[in-house]
Every structure is written in C-alpha cells, then in structure tokens.
Amino acid sequence: MYGNRLVRDAVERCFSRVSEAAVKLSSLAEELFPAHDWLAIRNLGNVLRHDYKGVLDQVIWTTIVDRLPPLLIELETFLAQYPDDQETL
C-alpha cells in the first residue's frame, strides 16, 4: 500500500467515507454495534484531513488488518436482514 499512491489515495478516500458515515449515524452506531470504537472511526476523518504523516501509515495499516474485517462482518450480517433496494432501516 505504501508504494502505490493511487491505492493509498483510494484507501484514504474510502476511510473518509466510513468516518463521515459514522458521524452521521451518531449514537445509533454505538447502539447497533457497540463492540467498535466509534469515536476513533469518527476521528480518523480528522487524521486523514490533516494528514498527520507521523501516524498515518500505521493507523491506516492497523485499521485495514485488525479493525476493518470484524466491522465488515458485523455490518454485512446486519444489512443482510434487509432487501437490497431498501434505503433506510
């Protein structure tokens, strides 16, 4: 990831969207998925916007490897309860 700027930009953009969605979900995220650190997810957007070079690579890599997979599994399981064309819960 570190050597390919296009991949890095794409990953950062996706994480920005996740952070923005977490902000919009507010306390609902904690209610539905309490096992995840929603404050950190929201704050990741600030880290990305301000481009803290000293921590960014490690933060992104740790998020991809350790934190994203369990979150995706939980979200996909939750969303599987609803039809694909349903836009609200």
Side-chain angles (χ1 to χ4, degrees):
M1 178 179 100
Y2 300 164
N4 186 323
R5 187 66 195 165
L6 182 62
V7 171
R8 181 187 174 112
D9 286 348
V11 168
E12 289 179 12
R13 178 66 182 121
C14 288
F15 279 139
S16 291
R17 282 184 273 181
V18 170
S19 175
E20 193 173 319
V23 169
K24 289 180 181 180
L25 282 171
S26 188
S27 63
L28 182 60
E30 283 93 356
E31 291 172 30
L32 294 174
F33 310 103
H36 303 283
D37 186 351
W38 291 101
L39 179 60
I41 293 169
R42 289 182 194 102
N43 287 338
L44 181 57
N46 290 326
V47 172
L48 294 169
R49 278 189 296 282
H50 298 292
D51 198 24
Y52 295 116
K53 298 282 186 208
V55 297
L56 190 55
D57 287 344
Q58 188 58 45
V59 168
I60 295 297
W61 188 249
T62 299
T63 303
I64 290 170
V65 173
D66 296 334
R67 296 185 179 171
L68 188 59
L71 177 60
L72 287 175
I73 289 168
E74 197 167 346
L75 291 172
E76 288 171 350
T77 301
F78 177 79
L79 292 173
Q81 303 173 69
Y82 301 94
D84 289 338
D85 61 346
Q86 183 172 340
E87 294 186 17
T88 60
L89 300 180

